[in-house]
Amino acid sequence: LANGEDVRMSTSRRRYSAQFKDEAVQMVVQTGQPIAQVARDLGINEGTLGNWVHLWKQDHPDPEPEVTEFDRARMARIEAENRKLRMENEFLKKAAAFFARTQD
């Protein structure tokens, strides 16, 4: 550095109240806005807000939705259709290979 100057980054950290943190997190959680946008709007670091949101989500996990009888029946139909489509796909692959051999 010029003339032996000692330049140091500020090591002081901004402190935010619990209420501010909660309100910032709720802006992300309730509105669905991106963390980066909310952080810019509030004038805080994106990583800081991201950490707050991450901690909030750990403390407030989404409840697992209950699987209804309708959902079970729908899943069974989808799985049966998937099995049928796989079998048809395998058959078509074998047929294509057979016809490719007989074309020579």
Side-chain angles (χ1 to χ4, degrees):
L1 295 173
N3 300 328
E5 295 177 29
D6 187 11
V7 178
R8 295 184 184 164
M9 297 291 292
S10 173
T11 57
S12 64
R13 295 181 129 179
R14 288 180 62 183
R15 299 272 182 211
Y16 300 98
S17 70
Q19 180 181 358
F20 179 82
K21 290 178 184 181
D22 290 340
E23 290 174 3
V25 167
Q26 290 309 308
M27 287 178 70
V28 172
V29 173
Q30 291 180 356
T31 67
Q33 292 181 34
I35 290 172
Q37 181 178 341
V38 173
R40 270 192 310 273
D41 292 347
L42 296 175
I44 61 176
N45 184 288
E46 180 181 335
T48 299
L49 180 55
N51 289 337
W52 298 344
V53 171
H54 177 73
L55 290 172
W56 185 89
K57 287 183 177 182
Q58 283 182 332
D59 292 341
H60 303 87
D62 290 332
E64 288 293 323
E66 185 176 323
V67 179
T68 64
E69 191 60 38
F70 173 79
D71 291 333
R72 281 197 254 304
R74 183 171 176 258
M75 185 62 74
R77 282 193 308 274
I78 291 170
E79 288 172 350
E81 182 180 359
N82 193 18
R83 280 190 299 275
K84 179 183 175 217
L85 291 171
R86 285 179 191 268
M87 285 182 4
E88 290 174 354
N89 191 27
E90 286 300 314
F91 174 78
L92 291 172
K93 284 181 185 177
K94 290 176 184 176
F98 171 78
F99 287 117
R101 283 192 308 268
T102 60
Q103 295 296 320
D104 292 337

